[in-house]
Amino acid sequence: MFNKILIANRGEIACRVATTARRLGVKTVAVYSDADAQAAHVQACDEAVALGGLAAQDSYLRWERILAAARATGAQAVHPGYGFLSENEDFARACAEAGLVFIGPPPAAIAAMGSKAAAKALMSQAGVPLVPGYHGDDNDPALLAREAERIGYPVLIKASAGGGGRGMRRVDRAEDFAAALASCQREAQASFGNAHVLVERYVTRPRHIEIQVFADAHGHCIHLGERDCSVQRRHQKVLEESPAPGLSAERRAEMGAAAVAAAQAVGYVGAGTVEFIAEPTTDGDIRFYFMEMNTRLQVEHPVTEAVTGFDLVEWQLRVASGEPLAITQDRVTLTGHAIEARICAENPDAGFLPATGTLGVLRWPEHVAFRRNADMERFHEPAPVRVDAGVRQGDAISPHYDSMVAKLIVWGEDRAQALARLDAALRDTHILGLQTNVTFLRRVAASASFTGADLDTALIERERAVLFEQPGLPLSWAAAGVIAWALAREAGQEGADPWSRRDGWRLHGGAQRRFDLLERAATPVHHTVTLLRHHRGTLGLRLGSGAPGSSAAGADQVLRWRGLGDDRFEVQLDDTRQVLCVHALGQQRAVFSATGSLVLEDFDPIAHAADGATEGGRLTAPMPGKVIALLAKAGQTVEAGQPLAVMEAMKMEHTLCAPRAGTVAELLYAVGDQVGEGAELLRLAEA
Ligand code: ADP
Ligand code: ADP
Ligand code: MG
């Protein structure tokens, strides 16, 4: 086994590899870009080397720097993870030339599978079934159009060098072929530096079923069963599971044998995935065709780990260090059912537009670390919930890399139990500060098609009515959550019950208190929520909504709650009860329930007063209060809008920002000082 390896990747996969290396007593070296200097993967490793740069081509793709880092730290091998350099044959070759072991297949195997067209030619010789199509070298448009006619519409034009779901065009009619071809070739040239395409029959309502293979350097190759990755958006995977629902043992063995044949045809070594497209036959069976081989570890490898009990990264390290595979095909069994959900920073309602920002709140469901099956003969129940993340609360999702934040992997004794655990785990995944697909994933997992295992690549499209633009948590519940949270916080600060406060909202035994909450939308809505205390001590909630400033009163509801600790509350509105979890980030109050969530903002008339108070270029206190933080030093140059001080007043924090650009000439107060309304906090001079 190696003493030390370099991990040429970032994020969750770099953390994942580091975890197994540590268990095996292998030291790890991280590499990082300027954007990742404080990243989780850097901390997960024993040593770290800066690559500089931000964008992938200036950092994680600079392989001469990565090789230099490996030499400088004395690493013996390089793990490429996935993405980046993992399927780059030149990099694999350069590693070997530098005397480093590339933890992956031989360069020739990467090359053989690198072109989808060339790989298909090879596979057809090896007797692996292919989708009817044309994958020759000649890309003459007239010839391709004739081939499309021969194959029969609809057809799919695919970039031979493509990947990541890009460079594909479905064509339904002959008259659209020429334009689609030209556009596909343009994208292929621009994205992959190679305009070559292939044409194949478009399989309607297909399933994506892939086989995990593993080969050692001693001629032994086995498969570890399949993963169904049919739930996709934009040809990219969303949910993955193993085993594939409804796949017979016979068909599994057949697909496994085809995958092993594919790997052996290219002299494969290490972990690889052979992707098949499968279509249902009229007699309820499936027919499958080779699609491509990914010559690396796959994002969704944890579902295979969960049902086999094996640690695939451990196997990668063992095989790369020359050990033979420790097990034979007949000892591989799939136990129970595992599902993975890819948590991405994106907005599903806006065409899955990627989102960036800071993970201000990041709460994972209860989970346990990944356990491997130490005894190859006996299956040990894996973690019911596993989280593979490369980020911590407070980390940023930058625009430089992909939008995957983490993966949630659940295991159950059967699919129903796995589904129930997935639903609960997604319910308890709370992310605030940027847009994510967590709620969307939960809806997909709960959709009739997914729960009924009616799987194919059109599932999301078919279920769109229940997946997109769904209402969040109703306002009354969200408001109740915000009120419970705010009063619990006040009570905690005063160490007393909220009703004994001396701030005047309790009047004549009956009382009311107003909460101003803003719901951000295309047009923000200002909700005025009134908490009423009746004579008999019961509480009422009254909602009013409208444009900022206006208020239309609604009917009162009886409100009760009790704190459950950890920002959770059991709340009752009239006769219904549910558990709400409330997280605060700045002015935002996110309320999560079992059925949905809603983010409201503290709409603070005082903060709006602050807008006016900074006029004239002076930074003044908008109300009497205490200075709790000063964010600039004397002599510092600041930009307009830059936060300079934080004040606390009326149990609320207010950040005061520079009214204009300038230099901080003098700080007039210190942290802890009480200031009066209108007091100038610091003197700002022209820059
Ligand atoms: P990539 O390299 O981008 O992963 P693939 O060849 O694996 O490209 O295809 C990605 C996805 O596109 C598949 O998972 C499947 O959903 C869809 N797809 C690929 N080939 C076909 C086909 N012939 N008919 C229908 N859908 C296809
Ligand atoms: P898989 O085929 O393993 O299921 P994908 O086909 O979606 O996964 O692609 C592999 C993964 O590699 C992506 O999900 C992404 O996280 C990562 N990846 C690919 N290219 C890049 C890149 N240029 N920069 C960062 N990450 C990348
Ligand atoms: Mg693929």
Side-chain angles (χ1 to χ4, degrees), residues 517-568:
L517 301 169
L518 195 68
E519 187 180 346
R520 291 260 173 223
T523 334
V525 190
H526 173 196
H527 300 291
T528 303
V529 181
T530 309
L531 179 65
L532 307 152
R533 190 187 191 211
H534 303 300
H535 291 282
R536 281 159 283 118
T538 57
L539 297 176
L541 186 74
R542 182 179 296 163
L543 299 182
S545 291
S550 83
S551 176
D556 296 355
Q557 283 176 289
V558 177
L559 169 68
R560 284 176 214 279
W561 75 82
R562 82 191 160 91
L564 301 174
D566 202 22
D567 296 327
R568 286 161 65 247

Short mmCIF file of all heavy atoms in Angstrom, two decimals, residues 517-568:
data_model
loop_
_atom_site.label_atom_id
_atom_site.label_comp_id
_atom_site.label_asym_id
_atom_site.label_seq_id
_atom_site.Cartn_x
_atom_site.Cartn_y
_atom_site.Cartn_z
N LEU A 517 -43.18 41.39 8.57
CA LEU A 517 -42.40 40.37 7.88
C LEU A 517 -42.48 40.58 6.38
O LEU A 517 -43.54 40.89 5.84
CB LEU A 517 -42.94 38.98 8.24
CG LEU A 517 -42.90 38.64 9.74
CD1 LEU A 517 -43.68 37.37 10.02
CD2 LEU A 517 -41.46 38.50 10.21
N LEU A 518 -41.36 40.41 5.74
CA LEU A 518 -41.31 40.63 4.30
C LEU A 518 -41.10 39.30 3.60
O LEU A 518 -40.22 38.52 3.98
CB LEU A 518 -40.14 41.57 3.98
CG LEU A 518 -40.15 42.19 2.59
CD1 LEU A 518 -41.30 43.18 2.46
CD2 LEU A 518 -38.81 42.89 2.33
N GLU A 519 -41.92 39.01 2.60
CA GLU A 519 -41.74 37.80 1.81
C GLU A 519 -41.15 38.23 0.48
O GLU A 519 -41.80 38.93 -0.30
CB GLU A 519 -43.09 37.10 1.62
CG GLU A 519 -42.96 35.76 0.96
CD GLU A 519 -44.32 35.07 0.77
OE1 GLU A 519 -45.32 35.52 1.38
OE2 GLU A 519 -44.37 34.10 0.02
N ARG A 520 -39.93 37.82 0.22
CA ARG A 520 -39.26 38.19 -1.03
C ARG A 520 -39.89 37.42 -2.18
O ARG A 520 -39.98 36.20 -2.14
CB ARG A 520 -37.77 37.85 -0.98
CG ARG A 520 -37.00 38.70 -0.03
CD ARG A 520 -36.26 39.81 -0.74
NE ARG A 520 -35.67 40.68 0.28
CZ ARG A 520 -35.70 41.99 0.23
NH1 ARG A 520 -36.26 42.61 -0.80
NH2 ARG A 520 -35.16 42.71 1.18
N ALA A 521 -40.31 38.12 -3.18
CA ALA A 521 -40.86 37.49 -4.38
C ALA A 521 -40.58 38.48 -5.48
O ALA A 521 -39.87 39.47 -5.25
CB ALA A 521 -42.35 37.26 -4.20
N ALA A 522 -41.11 38.23 -6.67
CA ALA A 522 -40.92 39.18 -7.77
C ALA A 522 -41.32 40.57 -7.27
O ALA A 522 -40.59 41.54 -7.45
CB ALA A 522 -41.75 38.76 -8.97
N THR A 523 -42.47 40.63 -6.62
CA THR A 523 -42.84 41.85 -5.90
C THR A 523 -42.88 41.47 -4.42
O THR A 523 -43.71 40.65 -4.03
CB THR A 523 -44.26 42.31 -6.29
OG1 THR A 523 -44.56 41.82 -7.59
CG2 THR A 523 -44.42 43.80 -6.21
N PRO A 524 -41.99 42.03 -3.62
CA PRO A 524 -41.97 41.65 -2.20
C PRO A 524 -43.30 41.99 -1.53
O PRO A 524 -43.92 43.01 -1.84
CB PRO A 524 -40.84 42.49 -1.63
CG PRO A 524 -40.01 42.91 -2.80
CD PRO A 524 -40.96 43.01 -3.95
N VAL A 525 -43.73 41.10 -0.65
CA VAL A 525 -44.99 41.33 0.05
C VAL A 525 -44.69 41.60 1.53
O VAL A 525 -43.93 40.86 2.15
CB VAL A 525 -45.91 40.10 -0.05
CG1 VAL A 525 -47.30 40.45 0.47
CG2 VAL A 525 -45.99 39.60 -1.48
N HIS A 526 -45.28 42.68 2.03
CA HIS A 526 -45.10 43.03 3.44
C HIS A 526 -46.28 42.45 4.21
O HIS A 526 -47.42 42.81 3.98
CB HIS A 526 -45.06 44.57 3.57
CG HIS A 526 -45.06 45.03 4.99
ND1 HIS A 526 -45.34 46.32 5.33
CD2 HIS A 526 -44.81 44.39 6.15
CE1 HIS A 526 -45.28 46.46 6.64
NE2 HIS A 526 -44.95 45.30 7.16
N HIS A 527 -45.99 41.50 5.09
CA HIS A 527 -47.04 40.90 5.90
C HIS A 527 -47.01 41.53 7.29
O HIS A 527 -45.97 41.58 7.92
CB HIS A 527 -46.82 39.40 6.07
CG HIS A 527 -46.80 38.64 4.78
ND1 HIS A 527 -47.92 38.46 4.00
CD2 HIS A 527 -45.79 38.03 4.13
CE1 HIS A 527 -47.60 37.74 2.94
NE2 HIS A 527 -46.31 37.48 2.98
N THR A 528 -48.16 41.98 7.71
CA THR A 528 -48.27 42.46 9.08
C THR A 528 -48.96 41.36 9.88
O THR A 528 -50.07 40.95 9.54
CB THR A 528 -49.12 43.74 9.14
OG1 THR A 528 -48.51 44.68 8.27
CG2 THR A 528 -49.17 44.29 10.54
N VAL A 529 -48.26 40.86 10.87
CA VAL A 529 -48.80 39.76 11.65
C VAL A 529 -48.97 40.25 13.08
O VAL A 529 -48.05 40.83 13.65
CB VAL A 529 -47.84 38.55 11.61
CG1 VAL A 529 -48.43 37.39 12.40
CG2 VAL A 529 -47.58 38.15 10.17
N THR A 530 -50.14 40.03 13.62
CA THR A 530 -50.38 40.50 14.98
C THR A 530 -50.59 39.32 15.91
O THR A 530 -51.37 38.41 15.61
CB THR A 530 -51.61 41.43 15.03
OG1 THR A 530 -51.42 42.43 14.02
CG2 THR A 530 -51.73 42.11 16.38
N LEU A 531 -49.86 39.35 17.00
CA LEU A 531 -50.02 38.34 18.04
C LEU A 531 -50.90 38.96 19.11
O LEU A 531 -50.60 40.02 19.64
CB LEU A 531 -48.65 37.97 18.61
CG LEU A 531 -48.66 36.93 19.73
CD1 LEU A 531 -49.16 35.59 19.21
CD2 LEU A 531 -47.25 36.78 20.30
N LEU A 532 -52.00 38.30 19.40
CA LEU A 532 -52.96 38.83 20.36
C LEU A 532 -52.93 38.00 21.63
O LEU A 532 -52.85 36.77 21.56
CB LEU A 532 -54.37 38.76 19.77
CG LEU A 532 -54.52 39.40 18.39
CD1 LEU A 532 -55.64 38.72 17.64
CD2 LEU A 532 -54.77 40.87 18.54
N ARG A 533 -52.99 38.67 22.74
CA ARG A 533 -53.11 37.92 23.98
C ARG A 533 -54.47 38.22 24.58
O ARG A 533 -54.79 39.36 24.89
CB ARG A 533 -52.02 38.29 24.97
CG ARG A 533 -52.02 37.34 26.15
CD ARG A 533 -51.07 37.79 27.21
NE ARG A 533 -50.91 36.73 28.19
CZ ARG A 533 -50.67 36.95 29.46
NH1 ARG A 533 -50.55 38.18 29.91
NH2 ARG A 533 -50.54 35.95 30.29
N HIS A 534 -55.30 37.18 24.65
CA HIS A 534 -56.65 37.38 25.13
C HIS A 534 -56.68 37.35 26.66
O HIS A 534 -55.72 36.92 27.29
CB HIS A 534 -57.59 36.31 24.56
CG HIS A 534 -57.56 36.29 23.06
ND1 HIS A 534 -57.91 37.38 22.31
CD2 HIS A 534 -57.17 35.32 22.20
CE1 HIS A 534 -57.77 37.07 21.03
NE2 HIS A 534 -57.31 35.84 20.93
N HIS A 535 -57.81 37.78 27.22
CA HIS A 535 -57.91 37.87 28.67
C HIS A 535 -57.72 36.54 29.35
O HIS A 535 -57.12 36.45 30.40
CB HIS A 535 -59.27 38.47 29.06
CG HIS A 535 -59.35 39.91 28.67
ND1 HIS A 535 -58.73 40.90 29.39
CD2 HIS A 535 -59.92 40.51 27.60
CE1 HIS A 535 -58.94 42.06 28.78
NE2 HIS A 535 -59.66 41.85 27.70
N ARG A 536 -58.21 35.46 28.67
CA ARG A 536 -58.09 34.16 29.32
C ARG A 536 -56.68 33.58 29.15
O ARG A 536 -56.42 32.46 29.51
CB ARG A 536 -59.13 33.19 28.74
CG ARG A 536 -60.52 33.40 29.30
CD ARG A 536 -61.60 32.84 28.38
NE ARG A 536 -61.84 33.69 27.24
CZ ARG A 536 -61.65 33.34 25.97
NH1 ARG A 536 -61.19 32.16 25.69
NH2 ARG A 536 -61.91 34.19 25.01
N GLY A 537 -55.79 34.34 28.54
CA GLY A 537 -54.40 33.91 28.42
C GLY A 537 -54.11 33.18 27.12
O GLY A 537 -52.98 32.83 26.85
N THR A 538 -55.17 32.94 26.31
CA THR A 538 -54.90 32.28 25.04
C THR A 538 -54.30 33.29 24.07
O THR A 538 -54.42 34.50 24.25
CB THR A 538 -56.19 31.70 24.43
OG1 THR A 538 -57.12 32.78 24.28
CG2 THR A 538 -56.78 30.61 25.31
N LEU A 539 -53.67 32.75 23.04
CA LEU A 539 -53.03 33.61 22.05
C LEU A 539 -53.75 33.51 20.73
O LEU A 539 -54.27 32.46 20.36
CB LEU A 539 -51.58 33.18 21.84
CG LEU A 539 -50.67 33.30 23.06
CD1 LEU A 539 -49.29 32.76 22.73
CD2 LEU A 539 -50.57 34.76 23.49
N GLY A 540 -53.74 34.61 20.01
CA GLY A 540 -54.34 34.62 18.69
C GLY A 540 -53.34 35.13 17.67
O GLY A 540 -52.46 35.93 17.99
N LEU A 541 -53.49 34.65 16.45
CA LEU A 541 -52.63 35.10 15.35
C LEU A 541 -53.52 35.74 14.30
O LEU A 541 -54.51 35.13 13.87
CB LEU A 541 -51.89 33.89 14.76
CG LEU A 541 -50.85 34.18 13.69
CD1 LEU A 541 -49.60 34.76 14.34
CD2 LEU A 541 -50.48 32.90 12.95
N ARG A 542 -53.19 36.96 13.92
CA ARG A 542 -53.97 37.65 12.89
C ARG A 542 -53.03 38.05 11.76
O ARG A 542 -51.99 38.66 12.00
CB ARG A 542 -54.63 38.89 13.49
CG ARG A 542 -55.50 39.67 12.52
CD ARG A 542 -56.13 40.86 13.20
NE ARG A 542 -57.05 40.47 14.27
CZ ARG A 542 -57.48 41.30 15.23
NH1 ARG A 542 -57.06 42.56 15.26
NH2 ARG A 542 -58.30 40.89 16.16
N LEU A 543 -53.44 37.68 10.55
CA LEU A 543 -52.58 37.97 9.40
C LEU A 543 -53.12 39.13 8.62
O LEU A 543 -54.32 39.26 8.43
CB LEU A 543 -52.54 36.78 8.44
CG LEU A 543 -52.00 35.46 8.97
CD1 LEU A 543 -52.02 34.44 7.84
CD2 LEU A 543 -50.58 35.64 9.49
N GLY A 544 -52.23 39.98 8.13
CA GLY A 544 -52.62 41.02 7.19
C GLY A 544 -51.51 41.12 6.18
O GLY A 544 -50.34 41.02 6.54
N SER A 545 -51.84 41.24 4.93
CA SER A 545 -50.80 41.30 3.91
C SER A 545 -51.09 42.42 2.94
O SER A 545 -52.20 42.90 2.84
CB SER A 545 -50.74 39.99 3.13
OG SER A 545 -50.26 38.99 3.96
N GLY A 546 -50.09 42.78 2.21
CA GLY A 546 -50.28 43.77 1.18
C GLY A 546 -48.97 44.35 0.77
O GLY A 546 -47.91 43.85 1.14
N ALA A 547 -49.01 45.38 0.01
CA ALA A 547 -47.79 46.07 -0.38
C ALA A 547 -47.21 46.69 0.89
O ALA A 547 -47.94 46.91 1.85
CB ALA A 547 -48.11 47.14 -1.40
N PRO A 548 -45.87 46.94 0.91
CA PRO A 548 -45.30 47.52 2.12
C PRO A 548 -46.12 48.73 2.57
O PRO A 548 -46.47 49.59 1.78
CB PRO A 548 -43.90 47.92 1.68
CG PRO A 548 -43.57 46.94 0.61
CD PRO A 548 -44.87 46.67 -0.10
N GLY A 549 -46.49 48.71 3.83
CA GLY A 549 -47.26 49.83 4.36
C GLY A 549 -48.72 49.52 4.53
O GLY A 549 -49.34 49.94 5.50
N SER A 550 -49.26 48.71 3.65
CA SER A 550 -50.70 48.45 3.74
C SER A 550 -50.96 47.21 4.59
O SER A 550 -50.07 46.44 4.87
CB SER A 550 -51.30 48.23 2.35
OG SER A 550 -51.11 46.90 1.94
N SER A 551 -52.18 47.00 4.98
CA SER A 551 -52.50 45.85 5.80
C SER A 551 -53.98 45.53 5.71
O SER A 551 -54.83 46.35 6.02
CB SER A 551 -52.12 46.13 7.25
OG SER A 551 -52.52 45.05 8.05
N ALA A 552 -54.26 44.33 5.22
CA ALA A 552 -55.65 43.88 5.18
C ALA A 552 -55.80 42.77 6.20
O ALA A 552 -55.14 41.75 6.10
CB ALA A 552 -55.99 43.35 3.78
N ALA A 553 -56.61 42.99 7.18
CA ALA A 553 -56.69 42.04 8.29
C ALA A 553 -57.40 40.76 7.90
O ALA A 553 -58.35 40.76 7.13
CB ALA A 553 -57.41 42.69 9.47
N GLY A 554 -56.91 39.63 8.41
CA GLY A 554 -57.56 38.35 8.20
C GLY A 554 -58.18 37.86 9.49
O GLY A 554 -58.14 38.56 10.50
N ALA A 555 -58.74 36.63 9.45
CA ALA A 555 -59.38 36.09 10.65
C ALA A 555 -58.34 35.60 11.64
O ALA A 555 -57.27 35.18 11.25
CB ALA A 555 -60.30 34.94 10.25
N ASP A 556 -58.66 35.67 12.92
CA ASP A 556 -57.73 35.22 13.95
C ASP A 556 -57.70 33.69 14.03
O ASP A 556 -58.72 33.04 13.82
CB ASP A 556 -58.16 35.75 15.32
CG ASP A 556 -58.10 37.26 15.37
OD1 ASP A 556 -57.62 37.85 14.38
OD2 ASP A 556 -58.50 37.83 16.40
N GLN A 557 -56.54 33.16 14.37
CA GLN A 557 -56.41 31.73 14.63
C GLN A 557 -55.84 31.58 16.03
O GLN A 557 -55.02 32.39 16.45
CB GLN A 557 -55.45 31.08 13.63
CG GLN A 557 -56.06 30.86 12.25
CD GLN A 557 -55.03 30.29 11.29
OE1 GLN A 557 -54.11 30.98 10.88
NE2 GLN A 557 -55.19 29.02 10.95
N VAL A 558 -56.27 30.52 16.72
CA VAL A 558 -55.73 30.28 18.05
C VAL A 558 -54.35 29.66 17.90
O VAL A 558 -54.16 28.72 17.15
CB VAL A 558 -56.65 29.34 18.87
CG1 VAL A 558 -56.04 29.04 20.23
CG2 VAL A 558 -58.03 29.99 18.99
N LEU A 559 -53.38 30.24 18.62
CA LEU A 559 -51.99 29.80 18.48
C LEU A 559 -51.46 29.29 19.82
O LEU A 559 -51.68 29.90 20.87
CB LEU A 559 -51.14 31.00 18.01
CG LEU A 559 -49.63 30.85 18.06
CD1 LEU A 559 -49.14 29.83 17.03
CD2 LEU A 559 -48.96 32.21 17.77
N ARG A 560 -50.77 28.17 19.76
CA ARG A 560 -50.03 27.64 20.93
C ARG A 560 -48.72 27.09 20.42
O ARG A 560 -48.64 26.65 19.27
CB ARG A 560 -50.75 26.41 21.50
CG ARG A 560 -51.96 26.63 22.29
CD ARG A 560 -52.53 25.23 22.64
NE ARG A 560 -53.98 25.29 22.66
CZ ARG A 560 -54.68 25.75 23.69
NH1 ARG A 560 -54.06 26.16 24.78
NH2 ARG A 560 -55.99 25.81 23.64
N TRP A 561 -47.71 27.08 21.28
CA TRP A 561 -46.48 26.37 20.92
C TRP A 561 -45.71 26.00 22.15
O TRP A 561 -45.93 26.52 23.22
CB TRP A 561 -45.61 27.23 20.00
CG TRP A 561 -44.89 28.35 20.69
CD1 TRP A 561 -43.71 28.28 21.38
CD2 TRP A 561 -45.30 29.71 20.76
NE1 TRP A 561 -43.37 29.50 21.86
CE2 TRP A 561 -44.33 30.41 21.50
CE3 TRP A 561 -46.40 30.43 20.26
CZ2 TRP A 561 -44.42 31.77 21.76
CZ3 TRP A 561 -46.49 31.78 20.51
CH2 TRP A 561 -45.51 32.43 21.25
N ARG A 562 -44.78 25.04 21.92
CA ARG A 562 -43.81 24.80 22.98
C ARG A 562 -42.49 24.48 22.32
O ARG A 562 -42.43 23.89 21.24
CB ARG A 562 -44.30 23.71 23.93
CG ARG A 562 -44.10 22.32 23.50
CD ARG A 562 -44.86 21.35 24.41
NE ARG A 562 -45.02 20.10 23.69
CZ ARG A 562 -44.14 19.10 23.77
NH1 ARG A 562 -43.11 19.17 24.54
NH2 ARG A 562 -44.32 18.00 23.06
N GLY A 563 -41.42 24.94 22.96
CA GLY A 563 -40.08 24.74 22.40
C GLY A 563 -39.63 23.31 22.61
O GLY A 563 -39.89 22.71 23.65
N LEU A 564 -38.99 22.74 21.57
CA LEU A 564 -38.48 21.38 21.67
C LEU A 564 -36.96 21.40 21.76
O LEU A 564 -36.32 20.37 21.78
CB LEU A 564 -38.92 20.56 20.45
CG LEU A 564 -40.41 20.45 20.21
CD1 LEU A 564 -40.69 19.73 18.89
CD2 LEU A 564 -41.09 19.70 21.35
N GLY A 565 -36.38 22.61 21.78
CA GLY A 565 -34.93 22.73 21.79
C GLY A 565 -34.39 22.72 20.38
O GLY A 565 -35.07 22.28 19.44
N ASP A 566 -33.14 23.21 20.21
CA ASP A 566 -32.48 23.16 18.91
C ASP A 566 -33.29 23.86 17.81
O ASP A 566 -33.40 23.38 16.70
CB ASP A 566 -32.23 21.68 18.55
CG ASP A 566 -31.11 21.54 17.52
OD1 ASP A 566 -30.30 22.47 17.42
OD2 ASP A 566 -31.09 20.51 16.82
N ASP A 567 -33.89 25.00 18.15
CA ASP A 567 -34.65 25.80 17.20
C ASP A 567 -35.89 25.09 16.65
O ASP A 567 -36.38 25.42 15.57
CB ASP A 567 -33.78 26.27 16.03
CG ASP A 567 -32.68 27.21 16.50
OD1 ASP A 567 -32.93 27.96 17.48
OD2 ASP A 567 -31.58 27.19 15.92
N ARG A 568 -36.38 24.08 17.38
CA ARG A 568 -37.58 23.38 16.94
C ARG A 568 -38.73 23.68 17.89
O ARG A 568 -38.54 23.82 19.10
CB ARG A 568 -37.34 21.88 16.84
CG ARG A 568 -36.48 21.53 15.63
CD ARG A 568 -35.83 20.16 15.74
NE ARG A 568 -36.80 19.09 15.74
CZ ARG A 568 -37.04 18.30 16.78
NH1 ARG A 568 -36.38 18.47 17.91
NH2 ARG A 568 -37.94 17.35 16.70
#
